[in-house]
Amino acid sequence: MARGDLNDEEWSLIEPHLPLGERGPIPDLRRQFNAVMWRFRTGSPWRDLPVEYGP
């Protein structure tokens, strides 16, 4: 977990309010959510996203 990522307690508060995909839960939704938060926290372009958040 990178600095600034959601911990388990924070994620448990947010997850129930997120939408489901067309076919059920979205895989790696927490990682995607953390990637979006990282991008807006740093102001960096998407191409500079750290590897741990995936492609």
Side-chain angles (χ1 to χ4, degrees):
M1 182 163 72
R3 185 178 64 124
D5 285 356
L6 297 174
N7 61 35
D8 292 338
E9 184 179 339
E10 293 167 334
W11 181 246
S12 69
L13 295 172
I14 293 172
E15 186 178 27
H17 302 285
L18 298 174
L20 291 175
E22 291 180 11
R23 297 184 180 136
I26 301 168
D28 294 330
L29 183 59
R30 184 174 181 174
R31 187 173 73 165
Q32 292 174 4
F33 193 87
N34 282 328
V36 170
M37 288 182 29
W38 178 89
R39 194 264 183 236
F40 288 109
R41 184 174 60 245
T42 63
S44 296
W46 287 108
R47 66 179 174 270
D48 293 338
L49 192 69
V51 175
E52 66 248 20
Y53 294 119

